[in-house]
Amino acid sequence: MSAEFSLRLSATLDDINELHEGLEAFAQQDGWTSKLEFEVKLVIEELFTNVVNYGECPGEPVSIDFSSDGDRLTIEMADAGKPFDPLVETPAADTDSAIEDRSIGGLGVHLVLTMMDEVNYRRDGALNRLTLVKRREE
Amino acid sequence: MVNVTTERIDDVLSADVDGRIDGSNVVQFEEAVRNAIEDSDRAVIMNFEKLVYISSAGLRAILLTAKSLQNRDAKLLLCSLSDRIREVFEISGFDKILPIHPSKAEALDSLDR
């Protein structure tokens, strides 16, 4: 059994709603566990928010394509923001400091890397392309 | 969609958070909490029983709240996290800096009153 789904968003925080609603429908259609649905929503929101905040491409299209078979979910994300490899250019997350010293930078990417099985970046002409893989456990 | 319902129990503010905290509504969440906190509050308990989702945008708001409370020797406590929400707090190392209680009653009991 395989299924596909696409999100066509614009680089604006308002579209986070569309992201959540779209994924909710696809998760239901494709029979995701609530854990898988939660993690994919979170990962996509973190990466999408990075594009909006740091991509310097306000309102430009961001495409996210999901393809799912029984064993794994593959996600392809493309944006026309400035060249940005989140895997390299993000500060290491601070998960240890006391409250007064704790910084929040890098946490989004840390969550992405923890929750996904594979994350790859490449620059393709004018586009940033991320490929993510999540194994289906159920 | 996020709703914050607050009540004051002596000098402790309890905030029940309902819905999801994401990048599109985190400002709403942050303002609702900030506006409810009074300087005389010794602690704030965020009740996440009805919180279904949080991203790093929400974690940032919670950290800022915890920092500002700590600056005046007040505390932030959390209670009633679902497994999913707890996972986000653990991966982020927030469980090391914020006390997490199974229920609001237990969070209240942990404070000397």
Side-chain angles (χ1 to χ4, degrees), chain A residues 13 16-17 20 35 38-39 41-42 45-46 95-97 99-100 102 110 114, chain B residues 20 22-24 52-56 67 70 84 87-88 91-93 96-97:
Chain A
L13 290 181
I16 288 175
N17 253 322
H20 281 279
K35 183 177 198 292
F38 185 102
E39 292 183 343
K41 281 179 178 171
L42 178 60
E45 184 190 324
E46 298 298 343
T95 56
D96 285 310
S97 303
I99 290 180
E100 58 271 25
R102 184 68 68 105
H110 176 62
T114 307
Chain B
R20 72 176 197 244
D22 63 34
S24 71
V52 296
Y53 174 90
I54 191 164
S55 62
S56 70
K67 280 177 189 273
Q70 172 152 308
R84 299 284 81 77
E87 183 189 12
V88 174
I91 293 172
S92 309
K96 295 180 211 161
I97 47 174

PDB file of all heavy atoms in Angstrom, chain A residues 13 16-17 20 35 38-39 41-42 45-46 95-97 99-100 102 110 114, chain B residues 20 22-24 52-56 67 70 84 87-88 91-93 96-97:
ATOM      1  N   LEU A  13       4.516  32.516   8.255  1.00  0.00           N
ATOM      2  CA  LEU A  13       4.136  31.743   9.438  1.00  0.00           C
ATOM      3  C   LEU A  13       2.647  31.375   9.431  1.00  0.00           C
ATOM      4  O   LEU A  13       2.249  30.382  10.024  1.00  0.00           O
ATOM      5  CB  LEU A  13       4.486  32.501  10.725  1.00  0.00           C
ATOM      6  CG  LEU A  13       5.987  32.634  11.038  1.00  0.00           C
ATOM      7  CD1 LEU A  13       6.185  33.372  12.352  1.00  0.00           C
ATOM      8  CD2 LEU A  13       6.689  31.285  11.094  1.00  0.00           C
ATOM      9  N   ILE A  16       1.521  27.790   8.635  1.00  0.00           N
ATOM     10  CA  ILE A  16       1.720  26.669   9.558  1.00  0.00           C
ATOM     11  C   ILE A  16       0.394  25.953   9.813  1.00  0.00           C
ATOM     12  O   ILE A  16       0.344  24.731   9.939  1.00  0.00           O
ATOM     13  CB  ILE A  16       2.359  27.161  10.882  1.00  0.00           C
ATOM     14  CG1 ILE A  16       3.830  27.520  10.625  1.00  0.00           C
ATOM     15  CG2 ILE A  16       2.261  26.094  11.975  1.00  0.00           C
ATOM     16  CD1 ILE A  16       4.528  28.138  11.820  1.00  0.00           C
ATOM     17  N   ASN A  17      -0.691  26.709   9.848  1.00  0.00           N
ATOM     18  CA  ASN A  17      -2.018  26.127  10.014  1.00  0.00           C
ATOM     19  C   ASN A  17      -2.352  25.123   8.922  1.00  0.00           C
ATOM     20  O   ASN A  17      -2.842  24.036   9.186  1.00  0.00           O
ATOM     21  CB  ASN A  17      -3.070  27.244   9.949  1.00  0.00           C
ATOM     22  CG  ASN A  17      -3.640  27.502  11.316  1.00  0.00           C
ATOM     23  OD1 ASN A  17      -3.842  26.568  12.092  1.00  0.00           O
ATOM     24  ND2 ASN A  17      -3.889  28.757  11.615  1.00  0.00           N
ATOM     25  N   HIS A  20      -0.453  21.911   9.341  1.00  0.00           N
ATOM     26  CA  HIS A  20      -1.017  21.008  10.339  1.00  0.00           C
ATOM     27  C   HIS A  20      -2.288  20.331   9.837  1.00  0.00           C
ATOM     28  O   HIS A  20      -2.471  19.131   9.991  1.00  0.00           O
ATOM     29  CB  HIS A  20      -1.309  21.765  11.640  1.00  0.00           C
ATOM     30  CG  HIS A  20      -0.085  21.988  12.473  1.00  0.00           C
ATOM     31  ND1 HIS A  20       0.438  21.019  13.288  1.00  0.00           N
ATOM     32  CD2 HIS A  20       0.740  23.049  12.593  1.00  0.00           C
ATOM     33  CE1 HIS A  20       1.530  21.486  13.881  1.00  0.00           C
ATOM     34  NE2 HIS A  20       1.735  22.719  13.481  1.00  0.00           N
ATOM     35  N   LYS A  35       1.771   8.913  17.265  1.00  0.00           N
ATOM     36  CA  LYS A  35       3.184   9.275  17.467  1.00  0.00           C
ATOM     37  C   LYS A  35       3.815   9.727  16.151  1.00  0.00           C
ATOM     38  O   LYS A  35       4.473  10.766  16.086  1.00  0.00           O
ATOM     39  CB  LYS A  35       3.938   8.065  18.023  1.00  0.00           C
ATOM     40  CG  LYS A  35       5.397   8.311  18.355  1.00  0.00           C
ATOM     41  CD  LYS A  35       6.001   7.045  18.977  1.00  0.00           C
ATOM     42  CE  LYS A  35       7.279   7.268  19.733  1.00  0.00           C
ATOM     43  NZ  LYS A  35       8.422   7.642  18.978  1.00  0.00           N
ATOM     44  N   PHE A  38       2.425  13.136  15.146  1.00  0.00           N
ATOM     45  CA  PHE A  38       2.979  14.215  15.966  1.00  0.00           C
ATOM     46  C   PHE A  38       4.397  14.557  15.499  1.00  0.00           C
ATOM     47  O   PHE A  38       4.754  15.723  15.300  1.00  0.00           O
ATOM     48  CB  PHE A  38       3.001  13.775  17.438  1.00  0.00           C
ATOM     49  CG  PHE A  38       3.435  14.853  18.404  1.00  0.00           C
ATOM     50  CD1 PHE A  38       2.488  15.530  19.150  1.00  0.00           C
ATOM     51  CD2 PHE A  38       4.768  15.184  18.556  1.00  0.00           C
ATOM     52  CE1 PHE A  38       2.873  16.520  20.040  1.00  0.00           C
ATOM     53  CE2 PHE A  38       5.162  16.177  19.436  1.00  0.00           C
ATOM     54  CZ  PHE A  38       4.213  16.845  20.183  1.00  0.00           C
ATOM     55  N   GLU A  39       5.213  13.508  15.319  1.00  0.00           N
ATOM     56  CA  GLU A  39       6.621  13.749  14.987  1.00  0.00           C
ATOM     57  C   GLU A  39       6.788  14.379  13.601  1.00  0.00           C
ATOM     58  O   GLU A  39       7.608  15.279  13.423  1.00  0.00           O
ATOM     59  CB  GLU A  39       7.407  12.427  15.090  1.00  0.00           C
ATOM     60  CG  GLU A  39       7.497  11.968  16.542  1.00  0.00           C
ATOM     61  CD  GLU A  39       8.321  10.700  16.737  1.00  0.00           C
ATOM     62  OE1 GLU A  39       8.565   9.967  15.752  1.00  0.00           O
ATOM     63  OE2 GLU A  39       8.710  10.435  17.880  1.00  0.00           O
ATOM     64  N   LYS A  41       4.541  16.235  11.963  1.00  0.00           N
ATOM     65  CA  LYS A  41       4.083  17.632  12.040  1.00  0.00           C
ATOM     66  C   LYS A  41       5.166  18.524  12.641  1.00  0.00           C
ATOM     67  O   LYS A  41       5.450  19.623  12.158  1.00  0.00           O
ATOM     68  CB  LYS A  41       2.833  17.734  12.923  1.00  0.00           C
ATOM     69  CG  LYS A  41       1.544  17.330  12.246  1.00  0.00           C
ATOM     70  CD  LYS A  41       0.398  17.469  13.254  1.00  0.00           C
ATOM     71  CE  LYS A  41      -0.935  17.134  12.633  1.00  0.00           C
ATOM     72  NZ  LYS A  41      -1.991  17.076  13.668  1.00  0.00           N
ATOM     73  N   LEU A  42       5.766  18.037  13.715  1.00  0.00           N
ATOM     74  CA  LEU A  42       6.779  18.823  14.412  1.00  0.00           C
ATOM     75  C   LEU A  42       7.994  19.071  13.517  1.00  0.00           C
ATOM     76  O   LEU A  42       8.456  20.210  13.369  1.00  0.00           O
ATOM     77  CB  LEU A  42       7.198  18.106  15.701  1.00  0.00           C
ATOM     78  CG  LEU A  42       8.286  18.767  16.536  1.00  0.00           C
ATOM     79  CD1 LEU A  42       7.853  20.146  16.989  1.00  0.00           C
ATOM     80  CD2 LEU A  42       8.612  17.916  17.756  1.00  0.00           C
ATOM     81  N   GLU A  45       7.119  21.441  10.686  1.00  0.00           N
ATOM     82  CA  GLU A  45       6.986  22.825  11.182  1.00  0.00           C
ATOM     83  C   GLU A  45       8.346  23.442  11.470  1.00  0.00           C
ATOM     84  O   GLU A  45       8.603  24.601  11.131  1.00  0.00           O
ATOM     85  CB  GLU A  45       6.104  22.897  12.441  1.00  0.00           C
ATOM     86  CG  GLU A  45       5.919  24.356  12.862  1.00  0.00           C
ATOM     87  CD  GLU A  45       5.262  24.549  14.213  1.00  0.00           C
ATOM     88  OE1 GLU A  45       4.379  23.772  14.579  1.00  0.00           O
ATOM     89  OE2 GLU A  45       5.656  25.527  14.902  1.00  0.00           O
ATOM     90  N   GLU A  46       9.241  22.678  12.099  1.00  0.00           N
ATOM     91  CA  GLU A  46      10.566  23.222  12.436  1.00  0.00           C
ATOM     92  C   GLU A  46      11.323  23.640  11.172  1.00  0.00           C
ATOM     93  O   GLU A  46      11.904  24.725  11.112  1.00  0.00           O
ATOM     94  CB  GLU A  46      11.396  22.196  13.215  1.00  0.00           C
ATOM     95  CG  GLU A  46      10.819  21.778  14.567  1.00  0.00           C
ATOM     96  CD  GLU A  46      10.684  22.916  15.569  1.00  0.00           C
ATOM     97  OE1 GLU A  46      11.314  23.973  15.377  1.00  0.00           O
ATOM     98  OE2 GLU A  46       9.933  22.756  16.547  1.00  0.00           O
ATOM     99  N   THR A  95      21.179  21.423  25.548  1.00  0.00           N
ATOM    100  CA  THR A  95      20.165  20.661  26.279  1.00  0.00           C
ATOM    101  C   THR A  95      20.577  20.430  27.731  1.00  0.00           C
ATOM    102  O   THR A  95      19.975  19.617  28.428  1.00  0.00           O
ATOM    103  CB  THR A  95      19.893  19.298  25.606  1.00  0.00           C
ATOM    104  OG1 THR A  95      21.128  18.588  25.499  1.00  0.00           O
ATOM    105  CG2 THR A  95      19.306  19.464  24.230  1.00  0.00           C
ATOM    106  N   ASP A  96      21.614  21.129  28.184  1.00  0.00           N
ATOM    107  CA  ASP A  96      22.154  20.864  29.524  1.00  0.00           C
ATOM    108  C   ASP A  96      22.226  22.058  30.475  1.00  0.00           C
ATOM    109  O   ASP A  96      22.149  21.868  31.686  1.00  0.00           O
ATOM    110  CB  ASP A  96      23.574  20.277  29.408  1.00  0.00           C
ATOM    111  CG  ASP A  96      23.529  18.830  28.953  1.00  0.00           C
ATOM    112  OD1 ASP A  96      22.772  18.054  29.558  1.00  0.00           O
ATOM    113  OD2 ASP A  96      24.228  18.498  27.984  1.00  0.00           O
ATOM    114  N   SER A  97      22.388  23.270  29.949  1.00  0.00           N
ATOM    115  CA  SER A  97      22.638  24.417  30.828  1.00  0.00           C
ATOM    116  C   SER A  97      21.471  24.677  31.781  1.00  0.00           C
ATOM    117  O   SER A  97      20.334  24.299  31.499  1.00  0.00           O
ATOM    118  CB  SER A  97      22.871  25.685  30.003  1.00  0.00           C
ATOM    119  OG  SER A  97      23.926  25.495  29.120  1.00  0.00           O
ATOM    120  N   ILE A  99      18.678  27.113  33.710  1.00  0.00           N
ATOM    121  CA  ILE A  99      17.701  28.031  33.100  1.00  0.00           C
ATOM    122  C   ILE A  99      18.347  29.352  32.680  1.00  0.00           C
ATOM    123  O   ILE A  99      18.164  29.821  31.553  1.00  0.00           O
ATOM    124  CB  ILE A  99      16.538  28.325  34.083  1.00  0.00           C
ATOM    125  CG1 ILE A  99      15.664  27.092  34.260  1.00  0.00           C
ATOM    126  CG2 ILE A  99      15.687  29.499  33.580  1.00  0.00           C
ATOM    127  CD1 ILE A  99      14.484  27.287  35.202  1.00  0.00           C
ATOM    128  N   GLU A 100      19.137  29.952  33.593  1.00  0.00           N
ATOM    129  CA  GLU A 100      19.646  31.301  33.308  1.00  0.00           C
ATOM    130  C   GLU A 100      20.617  31.318  32.123  1.00  0.00           C
ATOM    131  O   GLU A 100      20.753  32.327  31.444  1.00  0.00           O
ATOM    132  CB  GLU A 100      20.288  31.923  34.559  1.00  0.00           C
ATOM    133  CG  GLU A 100      21.433  31.124  35.170  1.00  0.00           C
ATOM    134  CD  GLU A 100      20.963  30.090  36.209  1.00  0.00           C
ATOM    135  OE1 GLU A 100      19.799  29.647  36.146  1.00  0.00           O
ATOM    136  OE2 GLU A 100      21.777  29.723  37.074  1.00  0.00           O
ATOM    137  N   ARG A 102      20.528  28.896  29.627  1.00  0.00           N
ATOM    138  CA  ARG A 102      20.015  28.072  28.533  1.00  0.00           C
ATOM    139  C   ARG A 102      19.706  28.937  27.310  1.00  0.00           C
ATOM    140  O   ARG A 102      19.065  29.971  27.411  1.00  0.00           O
ATOM    141  CB  ARG A 102      18.744  27.351  28.999  1.00  0.00           C
ATOM    142  CG  ARG A 102      18.124  26.376  28.006  1.00  0.00           C
ATOM    143  CD  ARG A 102      18.972  25.151  27.770  1.00  0.00           C
ATOM    144  NE  ARG A 102      19.089  24.256  28.898  1.00  0.00           N
ATOM    145  CZ  ARG A 102      18.447  23.081  28.999  1.00  0.00           C
ATOM    146  NH1 ARG A 102      17.606  22.719  28.060  1.00  0.00           N
ATOM    147  NH2 ARG A 102      18.648  22.297  30.037  1.00  0.00           N
ATOM    148  N   HIS A 110      17.705  19.956  16.180  1.00  0.00           N
ATOM    149  CA  HIS A 110      17.969  18.832  17.092  1.00  0.00           C
ATOM    150  C   HIS A 110      16.748  17.899  17.164  1.00  0.00           C
ATOM    151  O   HIS A 110      16.885  16.667  17.120  1.00  0.00           O
ATOM    152  CB  HIS A 110      18.315  19.399  18.474  1.00  0.00           C
ATOM    153  CG  HIS A 110      18.513  18.354  19.539  1.00  0.00           C
ATOM    154  ND1 HIS A 110      19.501  17.391  19.469  1.00  0.00           N
ATOM    155  CD2 HIS A 110      17.847  18.105  20.695  1.00  0.00           C
ATOM    156  CE1 HIS A 110      19.422  16.610  20.545  1.00  0.00           C
ATOM    157  NE2 HIS A 110      18.437  17.022  21.295  1.00  0.00           N
ATOM    158  N   THR A 114      16.627  14.014  15.790  1.00  0.00           N
ATOM    159  CA  THR A 114      16.274  12.955  16.729  1.00  0.00           C
ATOM    160  C   THR A 114      15.081  12.143  16.224  1.00  0.00           C
ATOM    161  O   THR A 114      15.042  10.925  16.385  1.00  0.00           O
ATOM    162  CB  THR A 114      15.921  13.563  18.112  1.00  0.00           C
ATOM    163  OG1 THR A 114      17.001  14.393  18.520  1.00  0.00           O
ATOM    164  CG2 THR A 114      15.709  12.471  19.155  1.00  0.00           C
TER     165      THR A 114
ATOM    166  N   ARG B  20      -3.046  23.623  20.650  1.00  0.00           N
ATOM    167  CA  ARG B  20      -1.657  23.390  20.254  1.00  0.00           C
ATOM    168  C   ARG B  20      -0.894  24.712  20.223  1.00  0.00           C
ATOM    169  O   ARG B  20      -1.450  25.770  19.901  1.00  0.00           O
ATOM    170  CB  ARG B  20      -1.595  22.644  18.918  1.00  0.00           C
ATOM    171  CG  ARG B  20      -1.969  23.445  17.728  1.00  0.00           C
ATOM    172  CD  ARG B  20      -1.794  22.687  16.419  1.00  0.00           C
ATOM    173  NE  ARG B  20      -1.796  23.669  15.346  1.00  0.00           N
ATOM    174  CZ  ARG B  20      -2.723  23.723  14.387  1.00  0.00           C
ATOM    175  NH1 ARG B  20      -3.662  22.832  14.325  1.00  0.00           N
ATOM    176  NH2 ARG B  20      -2.674  24.682  13.485  1.00  0.00           N
ATOM    177  N   ASP B  22       2.036  26.406  18.343  1.00  0.00           N
ATOM    178  CA  ASP B  22       2.926  26.306  17.198  1.00  0.00           C
ATOM    179  C   ASP B  22       3.412  27.696  16.806  1.00  0.00           C
ATOM    180  O   ASP B  22       3.100  28.690  17.466  1.00  0.00           O
ATOM    181  CB  ASP B  22       2.240  25.584  16.025  1.00  0.00           C
ATOM    182  CG  ASP B  22       1.020  26.333  15.500  1.00  0.00           C
ATOM    183  OD1 ASP B  22       1.024  27.578  15.507  1.00  0.00           O
ATOM    184  OD2 ASP B  22       0.053  25.663  15.087  1.00  0.00           O
ATOM    185  N   GLY B  23       4.181  27.739  15.726  1.00  0.00           N
ATOM    186  CA  GLY B  23       4.796  28.999  15.317  1.00  0.00           C
ATOM    187  C   GLY B  23       3.794  30.068  14.916  1.00  0.00           C
ATOM    188  O   GLY B  23       4.116  31.251  14.908  1.00  0.00           O
ATOM    189  N   SER B  24       2.555  29.658  14.582  1.00  0.00           N
ATOM    190  CA  SER B  24       1.589  30.665  14.130  1.00  0.00           C
ATOM    191  C   SER B  24       0.812  31.270  15.294  1.00  0.00           C
ATOM    192  O   SER B  24       0.214  32.332  15.150  1.00  0.00           O
ATOM    193  CB  SER B  24       0.618  30.049  13.108  1.00  0.00           C
ATOM    194  OG  SER B  24      -0.264  29.146  13.734  1.00  0.00           O
ATOM    195  N   VAL B  52      -2.130  19.433  22.973  1.00  0.00           N
ATOM    196  CA  VAL B  52      -1.963  18.282  22.077  1.00  0.00           C
ATOM    197  C   VAL B  52      -0.699  18.385  21.227  1.00  0.00           C
ATOM    198  O   VAL B  52      -0.290  17.403  20.600  1.00  0.00           O
ATOM    199  CB  VAL B  52      -3.194  18.079  21.160  1.00  0.00           C
ATOM    200  CG1 VAL B  52      -4.421  17.745  21.991  1.00  0.00           C
ATOM    201  CG2 VAL B  52      -3.436  19.305  20.294  1.00  0.00           C
ATOM    202  N   TYR B  53      -0.074  19.566  21.202  1.00  0.00           N
ATOM    203  CA  TYR B  53       1.081  19.726  20.318  1.00  0.00           C
ATOM    204  C   TYR B  53       1.914  20.914  20.778  1.00  0.00           C
ATOM    205  O   TYR B  53       1.373  21.922  21.248  1.00  0.00           O
ATOM    206  CB  TYR B  53       0.592  19.982  18.885  1.00  0.00           C
ATOM    207  CG  TYR B  53       1.682  20.296  17.894  1.00  0.00           C
ATOM    208  CD1 TYR B  53       2.317  19.288  17.172  1.00  0.00           C
ATOM    209  CD2 TYR B  53       2.097  21.612  17.668  1.00  0.00           C
ATOM    210  CE1 TYR B  53       3.323  19.576  16.264  1.00  0.00           C
ATOM    211  CE2 TYR B  53       3.109  21.915  16.764  1.00  0.00           C
ATOM    212  CZ  TYR B  53       3.708  20.896  16.060  1.00  0.00           C
ATOM    213  OH  TYR B  53       4.705  21.181  15.164  1.00  0.00           O
ATOM    214  N   ILE B  54       3.233  20.776  20.648  1.00  0.00           N
ATOM    215  CA  ILE B  54       4.108  21.928  20.882  1.00  0.00           C
ATOM    216  C   ILE B  54       5.338  21.788  19.996  1.00  0.00           C
ATOM    217  O   ILE B  54       5.836  20.686  19.778  1.00  0.00           O
ATOM    218  CB  ILE B  54       4.503  22.035  22.378  1.00  0.00           C
ATOM    219  CG1 ILE B  54       5.185  23.370  22.668  1.00  0.00           C
ATOM    220  CG2 ILE B  54       5.408  20.871  22.806  1.00  0.00           C
ATOM    221  CD1 ILE B  54       5.253  23.721  24.149  1.00  0.00           C
ATOM    222  N   SER B  55       5.802  22.913  19.435  1.00  0.00           N
ATOM    223  CA  SER B  55       7.034  22.904  18.642  1.00  0.00           C
ATOM    224  C   SER B  55       8.059  23.761  19.377  1.00  0.00           C
ATOM    225  O   SER B  55       7.786  24.295  20.454  1.00  0.00           O
ATOM    226  CB  SER B  55       6.768  23.468  17.242  1.00  0.00           C
ATOM    227  OG  SER B  55       6.351  24.811  17.340  1.00  0.00           O
ATOM    228  N   SER B  56       9.244  23.911  18.785  1.00  0.00           N
ATOM    229  CA  SER B  56      10.288  24.661  19.483  1.00  0.00           C
ATOM    230  C   SER B  56       9.904  26.129  19.696  1.00  0.00           C
ATOM    231  O   SER B  56      10.419  26.785  20.594  1.00  0.00           O
ATOM    232  CB  SER B  56      11.635  24.543  18.759  1.00  0.00           C
ATOM    233  OG  SER B  56      11.617  25.251  17.542  1.00  0.00           O
ATOM    234  N   LYS B  67      12.759  31.966  32.616  1.00  0.00           N
ATOM    235  CA  LYS B  67      13.879  32.870  32.909  1.00  0.00           C
ATOM    236  C   LYS B  67      13.381  34.106  33.655  1.00  0.00           C
ATOM    237  O   LYS B  67      13.999  34.545  34.625  1.00  0.00           O
ATOM    238  CB  LYS B  67      14.571  33.308  31.600  1.00  0.00           C
ATOM    239  CG  LYS B  67      15.547  32.289  31.015  1.00  0.00           C
ATOM    240  CD  LYS B  67      16.105  32.800  29.681  1.00  0.00           C
ATOM    241  CE  LYS B  67      16.907  31.774  28.925  1.00  0.00           C
ATOM    242  NZ  LYS B  67      18.326  31.690  29.274  1.00  0.00           N
ATOM    243  N   GLN B  70      12.459  33.221  37.178  1.00  0.00           N
ATOM    244  CA  GLN B  70      13.650  32.943  37.995  1.00  0.00           C
ATOM    245  C   GLN B  70      14.365  34.225  38.421  1.00  0.00           C
ATOM    246  O   GLN B  70      14.907  34.308  39.517  1.00  0.00           O
ATOM    247  CB  GLN B  70      14.598  32.024  37.237  1.00  0.00           C
ATOM    248  CG  GLN B  70      15.923  31.851  37.945  1.00  0.00           C
ATOM    249  CD  GLN B  70      16.573  30.522  37.629  1.00  0.00           C
ATOM    250  OE1 GLN B  70      15.963  29.469  37.749  1.00  0.00           O
ATOM    251  NE2 GLN B  70      17.812  30.568  37.215  1.00  0.00           N
ATOM    252  N   ARG B  84       3.495  12.336  24.187  1.00  0.00           N
ATOM    253  CA  ARG B  84       4.088  13.052  23.047  1.00  0.00           C
ATOM    254  C   ARG B  84       4.759  14.347  23.512  1.00  0.00           C
ATOM    255  O   ARG B  84       5.865  14.670  23.103  1.00  0.00           O
ATOM    256  CB  ARG B  84       3.018  13.391  22.002  1.00  0.00           C
ATOM    257  CG  ARG B  84       2.307  12.212  21.373  1.00  0.00           C
ATOM    258  CD  ARG B  84       3.181  11.528  20.337  1.00  0.00           C
ATOM    259  NE  ARG B  84       4.123  10.619  20.964  1.00  0.00           N
ATOM    260  CZ  ARG B  84       3.801   9.394  21.442  1.00  0.00           C
ATOM    261  NH1 ARG B  84       2.571   8.956  21.335  1.00  0.00           N
ATOM    262  NH2 ARG B  84       4.712   8.629  21.996  1.00  0.00           N
ATOM    263  N   GLU B  87       7.898  13.701  25.425  1.00  0.00           N
ATOM    264  CA  GLU B  87       9.010  13.340  24.536  1.00  0.00           C
ATOM    265  C   GLU B  87       9.738  14.602  24.029  1.00  0.00           C
ATOM    266  O   GLU B  87      10.968  14.663  24.009  1.00  0.00           O
ATOM    267  CB  GLU B  87       8.463  12.524  23.349  1.00  0.00           C
ATOM    268  CG  GLU B  87       9.549  12.039  22.391  1.00  0.00           C
ATOM    269  CD  GLU B  87       8.990  11.412  21.106  1.00  0.00           C
ATOM    270  OE1 GLU B  87       7.781  11.543  20.835  1.00  0.00           O
ATOM    271  OE2 GLU B  87       9.790  10.818  20.368  1.00  0.00           O
ATOM    272  N   VAL B  88       8.956  15.620  23.636  1.00  0.00           N
ATOM    273  CA  VAL B  88       9.561  16.862  23.143  1.00  0.00           C
ATOM    274  C   VAL B  88      10.382  17.527  24.253  1.00  0.00           C
ATOM    275  O   VAL B  88      11.505  18.005  24.025  1.00  0.00           O
ATOM    276  CB  VAL B  88       8.477  17.836  22.628  1.00  0.00           C
ATOM    277  CG1 VAL B  88       9.076  19.175  22.244  1.00  0.00           C
ATOM    278  CG2 VAL B  88       7.734  17.232  21.441  1.00  0.00           C
ATOM    279  N   ILE B  91      13.664  15.354  24.781  1.00  0.00           N
ATOM    280  CA  ILE B  91      14.665  15.511  23.711  1.00  0.00           C
ATOM    281  C   ILE B  91      15.338  16.876  23.842  1.00  0.00           C
ATOM    282  O   ILE B  91      16.534  17.027  23.593  1.00  0.00           O
ATOM    283  CB  ILE B  91      13.999  15.374  22.315  1.00  0.00           C
ATOM    284  CG1 ILE B  91      13.493  13.948  22.111  1.00  0.00           C
ATOM    285  CG2 ILE B  91      14.977  15.758  21.206  1.00  0.00           C
ATOM    286  CD1 ILE B  91      12.644  13.762  20.856  1.00  0.00           C
ATOM    287  N   SER B  92      14.580  17.872  24.257  1.00  0.00           N
ATOM    288  CA  SER B  92      15.096  19.239  24.357  1.00  0.00           C
ATOM    289  C   SER B  92      15.847  19.493  25.659  1.00  0.00           C
ATOM    290  O   SER B  92      16.414  20.570  25.849  1.00  0.00           O
ATOM    291  CB  SER B  92      13.937  20.235  24.255  1.00  0.00           C
ATOM    292  OG  SER B  92      13.152  19.937  23.127  1.00  0.00           O
ATOM    293  N   GLY B  93      15.820  18.528  26.558  1.00  0.00           N
ATOM    294  CA  GLY B  93      16.489  18.725  27.842  1.00  0.00           C
ATOM    295  C   GLY B  93      15.755  19.686  28.760  1.00  0.00           C
ATOM    296  O   GLY B  93      16.313  20.171  29.739  1.00  0.00           O
ATOM    297  N   LYS B  96      15.171  18.705  32.462  1.00  0.00           N
ATOM    298  CA  LYS B  96      16.251  18.903  33.438  1.00  0.00           C
ATOM    299  C   LYS B  96      16.153  20.254  34.135  1.00  0.00           C
ATOM    300  O   LYS B  96      16.782  20.470  35.165  1.00  0.00           O
ATOM    301  CB  LYS B  96      17.619  18.807  32.750  1.00  0.00           C
ATOM    302  CG  LYS B  96      17.927  17.434  32.180  1.00  0.00           C
ATOM    303  CD  LYS B  96      19.311  17.446  31.526  1.00  0.00           C
ATOM    304  CE  LYS B  96      19.363  16.472  30.374  1.00  0.00           C
ATOM    305  NZ  LYS B  96      20.470  16.758  29.454  1.00  0.00           N
ATOM    306  N   ILE B  97      15.459  21.204  33.530  1.00  0.00           N
ATOM    307  CA  ILE B  97      15.414  22.543  34.135  1.00  0.00           C
ATOM    308  C   ILE B  97      14.042  22.900  34.703  1.00  0.00           C
ATOM    309  O   ILE B  97      13.925  23.859  35.457  1.00  0.00           O
ATOM    310  CB  ILE B  97      15.856  23.654  33.138  1.00  0.00           C
ATOM    311  CG1 ILE B  97      15.168  23.498  31.788  1.00  0.00           C
ATOM    312  CG2 ILE B  97      17.368  23.663  32.984  1.00  0.00           C
ATOM    313  CD1 ILE B  97      15.446  24.636  30.811  1.00  0.00           C
TER     314      ILE B  97
END
